Structures are given as structure tokens and as C-alpha cells.
Amino acid sequence: MADGRLTRDFGRIARYGRRMSEVRLTTPSFLVLGIIDKLGEASPYDVKVEAARTVAPFWSMPHAQVYAQCDRLLEAGLLSEVRQSGGRNRRLMRLTDEGAAALRGWLADPAFVPVEARERGILKLWFGASPRVHAPVQIEEHRRTLDGYEELAGDVGELLTRGQREALEFGIRYERMMVDFWQWVESREP
Amino acid sequence: MADGRLTRDFGRIARYGRRMSEVRLTTPSFLVLGIIDKLGEASPYDVKVEAARTVAPFWSMPHAQVYAQCDRLLEAGLLSEVRQSGGRNRRLMRLTDEGAAALRGWLADPAFVPVEARERGILKLWFGASPRVHAPVQIEEHRRTLDGYEELAGDVGELLTRGQREALEFGIRYERMMVDFWQWVESREP
DNA sequence: GGGGGATCATCTGCATCGGACGCTCCACAG
DNA sequence: CTGTGGAGCGTCCGATGCAGATGATCCCCC
């Protein structure tokens, strides 16, 4: 084995936009672009709130990151500042043509990046933790989020776009799978 | 809503060992501790290779990190250097009592940390990418890793510890779920 | 006795993390 | 009015994590 494939390939850097000061575009970059695209026009704060409201279960960023990304994207010319309303320097931003192109390029790119399931519970199992201790907590928590998702699907399911509905469906299946899995773990004879 | 819960709670820092220069123990720390515990005695390189061989699908670290973690853990007194065999400074390390206690504490702690499913594919769906483009690739790739896991389970299933077998089962269920999900996405009428 | 590939380790530069801190605005009480 | 407190909004910093390049040492085989 060549020097072990230990890394995560988190990056898979893209450079769809071809202009200006050459930034590396990472997934968080596209998260910001995607949200601003949805909102049309937004301040960093709007982005942050919207991210927390929507995509956080799939990909969250700490607050400070949002501002940093916006700076980077502005500098790279993928976003443009629309206006500064007075005192509080509230920057409203839009996608530039380059920004829109970059987003489209990313969305269209089917490149597969293998995921790791960063489940601490599973890791603990691997290292020999007691299923007795962990299973009940896991089942309870996954059931809770599963309920939340299902309620969401029932309540606002109609209002979602197709893609959003599908992402939600993924969440539901994931949580259902986890509940089943931990029940299976619990039920094994010791 | 108070200032949005946007963050990931990646940390959930622990401090089970109570000695010395106060390090923050993160999941990677316990990964290293867990592996050294399994191996009994190991150099950073051994840890890195073992990690790549085993837990990488659940939690991988880039090479450099392993060395950094070892340094931190040594300094904190959770690991001890056993010997330096000559020229190439090959440090062999063991868990100290504190290290073993820290690991036990972590393993016993059922605290639930919500996962994010950092699936780029799902994120792209959310933002409106075309299922037509992505589904076939995703199905293919997930099926491939699923096959790999199942083969593994067949081949060496007997040799694994209970926890390892369970972790593998998780992998299988996860991949199976993904294949089903993307097939469902693909099959929806447009 | 020296080339070359596997083994082992480190450095560097950047992205990201989390949490604390600091503004601005507005509501409402005094 | 004036003051004060909390929600809305933004920034900073130290620690950690990341990817890849690069540097050494070993050992096999010629």
C-alpha cells in the first residue's frame, strides 16, 4: 500500500469561475452562493440565519465563517455589494454573473466525493464501548429528530421545492436507518 | 430565535484525564488513544497506517494530524514514550494510566452529538441540482462501496470484535440506504 | 557501495472552529 | 426626553484541522 489513503478528500477544490484573484472555492463557498441565489439579495447575517434555518442538518458553518466566506467571494468577484444602508454597515450582496456561473457549474458537477459517516457513536462501538450504555440514548435521540423531520414534511412538505423535499426525505431515511440500527445492536444477544 | 444555532458542536470537548498541562481532547485525540490501546505499543506511523486500514470510513485524519495529536497527548501525559530506537527517531508510545482512564471515560460517555450528514450530493439536491445528472453516479458509487463492505463482512467477519462487526453493519446499512434513496430520487416522475 | 522505492517524519500555509467581544438599533420604563 | 436592556448584526483571536510538499532513513538488490 502506498502511503496510506488516510485523508478525507474534504476539499475537491473547484474553480468554475475564471476571473480575478483566484480563490479556492470549497463547499462552504457554494453554500453561501447557493443561499444568496435563493434569497436574491442578502446580507451576511441573512445568509447565516437562512443557513441555520435550512441546510444546517446537512452542512453547517459557524457564524464567523459566513462573514469570511462573503469577504472572499466579494473579493473574487463572485458576489457584488449592492448597497450599504447607513450606520450599521449592513452589506447587501447579490450574485454576479461569474458567481451564478460558478454555482451552476458546481451544481452540475456529479463528481462523487466519498463521505465518511462521522458518527461518534459508531466510532465508540468500534473501540469497544458498551452497546447497553449507548443504544438507548441513540435510539431516543434519533427517534426525536426523525419525528421532527416527519412533522416538517407533513406541515410544509407542499411548500418545498423538489430538491428540498428530496433532501428532507434523505434526512428521514437516515434517521429511520439509525433507529433501526441501534435497535438491532440492542437486540443482539450478549 | 436567539442568535441562530448554526454551529456544529464539533467539539464537545472532554477532559476526562485530570492531570498536567490541560489539553483539549477532541475526537481525533480519542481516535489515536483508541488505536494505541488496540495495538498496545505503536509509533505515530503505526497509528496512521492502522487508522487508514480500519476506522477511516468512519473517521479519518490527514497524516500530519496524527503526529500533532501524538505530540499533544504526550505532552499532556496521556501517552508515554517507550523508547527511541536510534537514527530514525521512531517513537514508540503506550497509554499511560491517565490515557487509559481518559479513553475509558470517553467510551462510557453516551452523550449524544447530533450528526450532520455532510453529503455534498444532498446539498446539491437542496440547491436545485438535477437528479438526472447525479443519481446514476451516486448509485454506482454507493453500490460499489456497499459491495466492498459486504465482501469484507463475508471474508473476515468472524475475525472482528463485536463492536467492529457492528460498525461494519452500520456501514452496510448506510450504503444500502443511500442506494435506495438515489434510486427513489431517480424514479420520481419529473 | 550506491540507486531506488518503501518507510517514517516534519514544515508550511491556509481554512475552519468556537467562543468572546463590540457595536447598533429599538422598546419601553421612568 | 433619557436611560437601559435585549435582540440584531459584525468582528477578532487563539487553537485546531487540513492538503500537500519535502526531507530524511532504511533496506533490498544490483
Side-chain angles (χ1 to χ4, degrees):
Chain A
M1 173 172 54
D3 216 35
R5 278 280 313 107
L6 174 58
T7 48
R8 196 183 328 171
D9 194 357
F10 221 168
R12 197 62 76 89
I13 298 315
R15 208 168 310 225
Y16 297 98
R18 69 250 115 79
R19 220 170 63 84
M20 299 201 65
S21 45
E22 292 296 309
V23 231
R24 296 151 60 85
L25 297 181
T26 61
T27 307
S29 316
F30 292 110
L31 221 179
V32 169
L33 289 178
I35 287 178
I36 294 183
D37 180 49
K38 280 243 135 114
L39 297 179
E41 180 173 294
S43 74
Y45 184 78
D46 297 333
V47 173
K48 159 187 158 180
V49 170
E50 185 66 6
R53 248 188 13 93
T54 57
V55 291
F58 308 118
W59 206 294
S60 80
M61 320 171 53
H63 39 307
Q65 270 304 107
V66 175
Y67 293 94
Q69 282 295 339
C70 289
D71 292 346
R72 278 154 45 65
L73 295 172
L74 277 167
E75 189 185 2
L78 302 183
L79 292 178
S80 67
E81 221 149 350
V82 178
R83 56 185 137 102
Q84 300 231 30
S85 68
R88 178 183 312 210
N89 67 340
R90 189 157 158 46
R91 304 175 286 162
L92 290 187
M93 301 167 307
R94 288 184 161 283
L95 292 194
T96 62
D97 291 346
E98 283 87 359
L103 179 59
R104 273 200 311 279
W106 181 72
L107 287 179
D109 177 6
F112 181 83
V113 178
V115 186
E116 308 158 62
R118 291 211 151 195
E119 280 276 359
R120 283 177 184 67
I122 305 295
L123 200 58
K124 290 185 181 184
L125 275 185
W126 175 278
F127 283 130
S130 152
R132 291 290 167 83
V133 177
H134 292 276
V137 180
Q138 296 280 334
I139 292 171
E140 154 99 13
E141 293 291 339
H142 284 294
R143 181 126 47 203
R144 185 196 315 285
T145 45
L146 176 57
D147 289 348
Y149 284 162
E150 277 173 336
E151 195 177 342
L152 200 60
D155 286 358
V156 300
E158 305 307 312
L159 302 175
L160 299 175
T161 67
R162 172 174 179 169
Q164 291 170 347
R165 183 67 247 286
E166 287 164 350
L168 182 54
E169 172 72 16
F170 164 80
I172 290 173
R173 289 180 183 232
Y174 182 82
E175 295 300 331
R176 190 138 51 209
M177 191 265 300
M178 290 308 281
V179 171
D180 288 352
F181 169 76
W182 282 104
Q183 278 173 348
W184 171 80
V185 167
E186 197 174 39
S187 74
R188 306 182 73 198
E189 70 287 358
Chain B
M1 173 171 54
D3 217 34
R5 279 277 316 107
L6 173 60
T7 50
R8 195 185 327 172
D9 195 357
F10 221 169
R12 196 61 76 88
I13 298 315
R15 205 168 309 228
Y16 296 100
R18 67 249 114 80
R19 221 167 65 83
M20 299 203 63
S21 44
E22 293 294 310
V23 231
R24 296 152 59 86
L25 297 181
T26 62
T27 307
S29 315
F30 291 110
L31 221 181
V32 169
L33 290 177
I35 287 179
I36 294 184
D37 179 49
K38 280 244 136 108
L39 297 179
E41 181 174 292
S43 75
Y45 185 77
D46 298 334
V47 172
K48 159 187 157 181
V49 170
E50 185 67 7
R53 247 186 17 90
T54 57
V55 292
F58 308 118
W59 206 293
S60 81
M61 320 169 54
H63 37 308
Q65 272 301 107
V66 175
Y67 292 95
Q69 282 296 338
C70 288
D71 292 346
R72 279 155 42 66
L73 295 172
L74 277 168
E75 190 184 0
L78 302 183
L79 293 178
S80 67
E81 220 149 350
V82 177
R83 55 185 139 101
Q84 299 232 28
S85 68
R88 178 181 313 210
N89 67 340
R90 186 154 161 46
R91 302 175 288 161
L92 290 187
M93 301 166 306
R94 287 183 162 285
L95 292 194
T96 61
D97 291 347
E98 282 88 358
L103 180 59
R104 273 201 310 280
W106 181 71
L107 287 178
D109 177 6
F112 181 82
V113 179
V115 184
E116 307 159 65
R118 291 210 152 196
E119 281 275 359
R120 281 177 185 68
I122 305 295
L123 200 58
K124 290 185 182 184
L125 276 185
W126 176 276
F127 283 131
S130 152
R132 290 289 167 84
V133 177
H134 292 276
V137 180
Q138 295 279 335
I139 291 171
E140 153 99 13
E141 294 291 339
H142 284 294
R143 179 124 50 200
R144 186 196 314 286
T145 45
L146 176 56
D147 290 348
Y149 285 162
E150 277 173 337
E151 195 177 341
L152 200 61
D155 286 358
V156 301
E158 305 307 313
L159 302 175
L160 298 175
T161 66
R162 171 174 180 168
Q164 290 169 347
R165 183 68 247 288
E166 286 164 350
L168 182 55
E169 171 73 16
F170 164 80
I172 290 173
R173 288 180 184 231
Y174 180 81
E175 295 301 330
R176 191 138 50 208
M177 190 269 296
M178 289 308 280
V179 171
D180 289 350
F181 169 75
W182 282 104
Q183 279 174 346
W184 171 80
V185 168
E186 196 174 39
S187 73
R188 306 181 73 198
E189 72 286 357

